[in-house]
Amino acid sequence: MAGRTGPQLRGGLRAPPPPAAVYGYGVLGGRLDGRQGAEARAAHDAHRARRDALARTARDLGGRPVASNAAYALPFAVPDGPSAVRLAAVLEDRIAGAYADLVRATEGARRKGAAGALREAAVRSARWRGGNVAFPGLAERAAGADPAATGPVEAAGADGTR
């Protein structure tokens, strides 16, 4: 696909996954300690930096990034460490999907940056999951994938309702 610099790409850069990942790591980080807590903090920082870089890119292309929501509905409750680890893997899968779309929609330096972000998300997902998937960023095509587990993180009100 030819690289895009117009509204289609700007629209892709406004998609909610990076802010949702920042929010999700904020939730799960409080349920992890030790090595996992440190990994969650590092992932939170990485997603925050990517979110900010994507917003700058959207502005550079003449777009106006959509502001992050106050809260996002999580795909399941996160009451403890094991569910926090599971959420981290789901968030990374979704981020990988967003960056896979960006790889497909761009070329040159933007494609290289998106491919790097896809790789980082795939590595983090594999660490959280304890194994990898055949095609990171294409979770909906993975054998045995639960479509409900790979859908988008929805924006929510501060009370967690959709």
Side-chain angles (χ1 to χ4, degrees):
M1 211 180 249
R4 293 181 251 174
T5 58
Q8 297 146 327
L9 177 57
R10 285 192 303 267
L13 294 175
R14 295 175 352 151
V22 170
Y23 176 81
Y25 271 100
V27 170
L28 69 89
R31 289 158 179 80
L32 299 172
D33 54 16
R35 182 185 57 80
Q36 289 182 325
E39 287 182 29
R41 285 187 297 280
H44 181 265
D45 292 345
H47 287 300
R48 191 173 53 225
R50 289 275 183 196
R51 175 201 62 198
D52 295 347
L54 283 171
R56 281 190 302 276
T57 300
R59 282 190 296 275
D60 291 348
L61 292 171
R64 202 168 106 200
V66 174
S68 299
N69 294 307
Y72 293 84
L74 300 175
F76 48 85
V78 186
D80 54 22
S83 61
V85 168
R86 189 169 141 232
L87 176 61
V90 168
L91 290 172
E92 295 300 343
D93 289 344
R94 292 176 183 182
I95 287 293
Y99 283 113
D101 290 344
L102 200 53
V103 167
R104 186 177 64 235
T106 58
E107 54 189 33
R110 286 189 183 99
R111 176 176 276 175
K112 184 177 180 180
L118 169 58
R119 182 187 65 245
E120 290 169 12
V123 168
R124 281 191 297 264
S125 175
R127 284 184 182 150
W128 289 119
R129 181 177 284 106
N132 58 11
V133 295
F135 299 104
L138 300 176
E140 68 280 1
R141 295 188 180 157
D146 175 7
T150 60
V153 175
E154 302 291 335
D159 64 355
T161 61
R162 290 184 182 204

